[in-house]
Amino acid sequence: MILLSITENIHNWLFSVMPAEVASIVEMVLIAVVYLTVFAVAGLFLVLLERRVAAWFQLRIGPNRVGYQGLLQTMADAIKLLTKELVGTDRADKFLYNLAPYFVIITALMALAVIPFSQEFHAFDINIGIFFLIAISSIGVIGILLGGWSSNNKFAMIGAMRSGVQTISYELSVGLSLLTMVVITGTLQLSEIIEIQKSGWLIVQGHIPAVIAFMVFMISGTAETNRAPFDMVEAESELGAGFHTEYSGMKFAYFFLAEFINMFIIAAIAATVFFGGWLSPFGITESIPELGVFWFLIKTMVLVFLMMWFRWTFPRLRVDQLLTLEWKYLLPINLVNIVLMAVLVWLNLTIRL
Amino acid sequence: MSYFSDIYEGIKTLLTGMSVTGKYFITSRKGAITQQYPDNRETLKMFDRFRGEVIMPHNEDNEHRCTGCQKCEIACPNGTIEIIWDRGIDEETGKKKKKIDQFVYHLSMCTMCGLCIDVCPTDAIEWGQNFENSVYDRTTLTRVLNEPNSKLMPGVED
């Protein structure tokens, strides 16, 4: 409520000092700045988290020198990258080469906009929320393809093509596993999906098919973000750094940050659709709506940790194994699962608390 | 019908792998392999097999076990060891006898191959575990391993 009253006050004050059109634009710019800040801070925090978690999985300690427990490490890295020279390649397609990082970053930001952080902190609540998310998350691959294509580098090219194959394949599973949940909710709007979960999180409401859908979503979501064990796109041991081999300095940092933000987005979608978003477990803090952000972030971080756990446990798949997993296993399972869910909803077998 | 058993096996093996790394994650705070080196300088003990440098141990009476046979000098592939020896009168028997004056060891040339230590018939030299060997002047890497006024431990030659 405090958050709401602050935003309300800013809104009223803006509309009182300037004409309505100007005030609307100023508001939009302010929100964009807030989201950019969230983007940068969350990205840097996730990079640090990844490094520490990776270290703990490998019985190391990880960066702990810059700031308390290494909290400023990624900040220092970002400043270092900002000051570095942007080295391009000869005969690269300069326009596309420079454009590619922004594609990746803008799609990540657009996806971030529709995610409900709490009841009030929700920039863009459209009625086709999930559809929008699925659509936007597949545009990100265009940035990767452009970056790989325009670099004039064979490693980058192979990496980008692999990314195309992978994303087009796994897009299906992401979409279908979310649609399985839409069968229960009957709506695509994210705020309404959370409203429905006040009578039990969807993973409880949909029990067996929901658990299957969640597993499929986590697997294909990991593949969507091009993270290990599906990091065919970067594959350090085969392709140098994959599609961003030729990028340096801040442009590289954009790709790097966008990768981590995408991981956050996948985890946030899973938290929203399967685990009730900003709802507290069993409604224990229903009277304090400010804690919504806290619960949302807790759930998202647990899922982010799960994805990091995948990354530091499983070996990388071959391309044919990758496609076998999608087309022979995940997709048929998903199609059966969606029918199962429909039957469940039809016979009213969902669990409602 | 291996399709479903494949899925079952796949999930089972993935969970097995995750449980292994999960155990590592939980115990990592206690069992971290990383040494936070300059901080734990006082307590850091290198393992016995570490090859840091060649040393010549002396006992409390300032006696070493080197007879000056020069086998190490011959064995060394890159001239790291230089033995400066002399003939002196042995106190007990009164005969002239070969003994070392200076056992010169050039750490800057040593490749830590260990041939000198393997070949030594009296175990006079062995591996030291010191690894902080960086210096500003490389002449300080040339060391004399026997202490001044040290002499051969009695009974080594028998």
Side-chain angles (χ1 to χ4, degrees):
Chain A
M1 289 304 128
I2 301 164
L3 198 71
L4 188 64
S5 63
I6 292 170
T7 47
E8 196 88 323
N9 282 338
I10 294 171
H11 177 81
N12 290 338
W13 177 75
L14 276 174
F15 275 77
S16 64
V17 294
M18 53 185 89
E21 297 83 15
V22 184
S24 308
I25 289 170
V26 170
E27 254 182 2
M28 284 177 202
V29 170
L30 279 178
I31 290 166
V33 168
V34 168
Y35 267 82
L36 271 175
T37 318
V38 170
F39 179 90
V41 171
L44 291 177
F45 170 72
L46 284 171
V47 174
L48 179 71
L49 191 73
E50 166 97 50
R51 288 180 63 182
R52 287 311 295 265
V53 167
W56 289 334
F57 273 127
Q58 298 172 341
L59 292 179
R60 293 184 288 114
I61 291 168
N64 64 349
R65 296 282 146 167
V66 190
Y68 174 72
Q69 290 292 312
L71 274 177
L72 299 176
Q73 175 72 50
T74 45
M75 214 67 89
D77 286 346
I79 291 168
K80 179 203 75 175
L81 284 171
L82 269 173
T83 58
K84 282 187 121 177
E85 187 191 354
L86 297 170
V87 187
T89 29
D90 264 2
R91 277 172 290 160
D93 190 334
K94 282 283 168 344
F95 177 68
L96 293 182
Y97 178 81
N98 291 327
L99 189 68
Y102 298 100
F103 256 98
V104 178
I105 234 173
I106 286 170
T107 50
L109 267 174
M110 280 168 83
L112 210 58
V114 293
I115 288 169
F117 286 86
S118 79
Q119 197 157 12
E120 296 100 32
F121 190 15
H122 191 174
F124 189 37
D125 188 19
I126 42 171
N127 56 359
I128 52 161
I130 292 220
F131 180 62
F132 182 82
L133 273 175
I134 296 170
I136 281 297
S137 62
S138 47
I139 292 181
V141 74
I142 293 181
I144 292 175
L145 278 172
L146 284 183
W149 170 262
S150 60
S151 292
N152 192 21
N153 177 316
K154 57 190 164 198
F155 293 139
M157 181 74 199
I158 295 170
M161 287 299 128
R162 283 183 180 187
S163 170
V165 168
Q166 185 175 324
T167 312
I168 289 165
S169 305
Y170 279 83
E171 198 60 46
L172 279 167
S173 285
V174 171
L176 280 174
S177 55
L178 287 177
L179 279 186
T180 315
M181 303 322 288
V182 170
V183 172
I184 287 193
T185 61
T187 173
L188 291 164
Q189 192 168 355
L190 285 166
S191 58
E192 276 181 37
I193 287 176
I194 287 174
E195 206 62 36
I196 283 160
Q197 297 187 63
K198 281 187 174 159
S199 55
W201 295 354
L202 280 187
I203 200 153
V204 180
Q205 282 194 33
H207 48 96
I208 297 166
V211 170
I212 295 172
F214 173 66
M215 283 163 76
V216 171
F217 181 80
M218 283 316 280
I219 294 169
S220 48
T222 313
E224 272 276 289
T225 51
N226 297 327
R227 285 171 60 81
F230 304 102
D231 60 344
M232 312 298 307
V233 180
E234 295 179 31
E236 292 91 349
S237 47
E238 300 159 26
L239 298 177
F243 66 95
H244 57 56
T245 307
E246 295 295 346
Y247 284 91
S248 60
M250 209 51 206
K251 283 184 205 155
F252 163 73
Y254 284 156
F255 277 121
F256 200 63
L257 278 185
E259 187 196 317
F260 279 89
I261 291 296
N262 279 330
M263 178 173 74
F264 179 83
I265 287 166
I266 293 288
I269 295 170
T272 309
V273 174
F274 295 96
F275 294 99
W278 45 263
L279 291 174
S280 52
F282 310 111
I284 46 174
T285 59
E286 215 164 349
S287 50
I288 325 167
E290 284 84 17
L291 280 177
V293 180
F294 168 75
W295 286 115
F296 174 80
L297 287 179
I298 288 273
K299 288 168 187 172
T300 312
M301 280 306 135
V302 169
L303 293 173
V304 164
F305 173 74
L306 190 66
M307 289 170 88
M308 289 178 180
W309 196 348
F310 290 161
R311 173 162 185 174
W312 298 106
T313 303
F314 304 139
R316 187 185 303 132
L317 272 71
R318 271 197 326 258
V319 178
D320 63 318
Q321 291 169 333
L322 185 93
L323 294 178
T324 309
L325 175 66
E326 164 63 17
W327 295 101
K328 287 192 182 160
Y329 292 93
L330 292 186
L331 191 64
I333 289 172
N334 228 329
L335 290 170
V336 172
N337 195 33
I338 206 166
V339 173
L340 185 65
M341 183 61 101
V343 169
L344 221 67
V345 172
W346 179 46
L347 296 175
N348 244 333
L349 288 175
T350 53
I351 301 169
R352 277 177 195 276
L353 299 175
Chain B
M1 284 308 286
S2 69
Y3 183 80
F4 293 104
S5 60
D6 278 356
I7 294 174
Y8 172 73
E9 280 297 312
I11 292 174
K12 206 180 100 184
T13 47
L14 289 182
L15 289 180
T16 310
M18 283 179 72
S19 72
V20 170
T21 46
K23 264 178 224 145
Y24 281 148
F25 182 80
I26 292 162
T27 55
S28 66
R29 250 49 56 81
K30 277 180 287 179
I33 296 162
T34 317
Q35 300 284 334
Q36 305 206 48
Y37 161 55
D39 293 351
N40 68 352
R41 212 168 158 179
E42 279 75 37
T43 57
L44 179 66
K45 191 180 177 304
M46 292 305 283
F47 29 94
D48 292 337
R49 295 198 301 176
F50 181 72
R51 298 177 169 194
E53 60 182 346
V54 174
I55 55 168
M56 181 183 284
H58 287 64
N59 67 3
E60 343 31 283
D61 303 330
N62 202 15
E63 290 169 335
H64 56 77
R65 297 172 65 89
C66 181
T67 57
C69 68
Q70 289 181 298
K71 278 182 178 164
C72 50
E73 189 175 356
I74 295 160
C76 186
N78 44 2
T80 303
I81 295 172
E82 237 178 288
I83 294 176
I84 300 166
W85 55 277
D86 201 4
R87 283 194 198 279
I89 308 287
D90 194 21
E91 292 90 9
E92 286 171 28
T93 56
K95 287 179 188 165
K96 273 200 168 184
K97 208 185 87 178
K98 185 179 182 181
K99 58 182 184 181
I100 59 168
D101 183 21
Q102 281 186 322
F103 188 106
V104 182
Y105 170 58
H106 301 277
L107 179 57
S108 55
M109 286 194 281
C110 184
T111 59
M112 314 291 167
C113 66
L115 289 177
C116 51
I117 290 162
D118 289 346
V119 87
C120 183
T122 55
D123 295 330
I125 47 177
E126 56 186 49
W127 285 117
Q129 274 77 43
N130 173 37
F131 58 93
E132 293 167 320
N133 287 326
S134 53
V135 287
Y136 286 106
D137 180 9
R138 66 179 170 185
T139 55
T140 54
L141 290 174
T142 299
R143 291 167 189 181
V144 178
L145 291 190
N146 56 329
E147 305 282 335
N149 300 323
S150 63
K151 55 183 198 292
L152 178 66
M153 205 181 288
V156 171
E157 283 171 303
D158 303 336

